[in-house]
Amino acid sequence: MPTELTLALRPQARLDLIDVTAHIREIEPDFLRRHRQALYYSYHTTAGYPEQRLCERLGYRRDALEAFFRSFQQLFPPEAGTATIDWSCARN
């Protein structure tokens, strides 16, 4: 019975929501029943796991998560480059 699993996941797009639990069940079906808490991490700096509270607030719905992250993609498109901010109108 393993106490640790390593998954090799390859996103297919800039935003790719991957069901890690489904991949774990494919490799080791009973693993998550034996381990009630888990730590997930990625060696890739831009990969991330949404906080449980965020998932709860979005109703654990894939479409809601995609909409949430797509709003950031619209704010920060890959072709946007670096922005310069003019603070001359800021109050002192």
Side-chain angles (χ1 to χ4, degrees):
M1 286 190 235
T3 58
E4 180 179 309
L5 293 175
T6 300
L7 302 175
L9 306 172
R10 297 183 192 270
Q12 301 301 310
R14 183 171 176 229
L15 173 62
D16 191 4
L17 300 179
I18 299 171
D19 185 348
V20 174
T21 302
H23 285 279
I24 291 172
R25 285 189 180 124
E26 287 176 17
I27 295 171
E28 189 69 35
D30 293 329
F31 187 81
L32 294 174
R33 276 188 251 168
R34 292 191 310 266
H35 303 285
R36 298 189 52 80
Q37 294 182 336
L39 170 65
Y40 299 99
Y41 68 91
S42 171
Y43 292 116
H44 196 284
T45 58
T46 59
Y49 298 92
E51 292 183 0
Q52 192 66 34
R53 181 74 178 124
L54 172 64
C55 294
E56 182 181 322
R57 291 185 75 175
L58 295 174
Y60 299 98
R61 293 182 12 244
R62 182 182 188 91
D63 63 325
L65 278 168
E66 287 175 347
F68 176 81
F69 287 111
R70 290 210 192 285
S71 65
F72 288 99
Q73 287 184 317
Q74 290 173 349
L75 287 171
F76 306 104
E79 70 280 353
T82 305
T84 302
I85 300 172
D86 179 2
W87 292 100
S88 62
C89 63
R91 289 183 149 169
N92 290 332

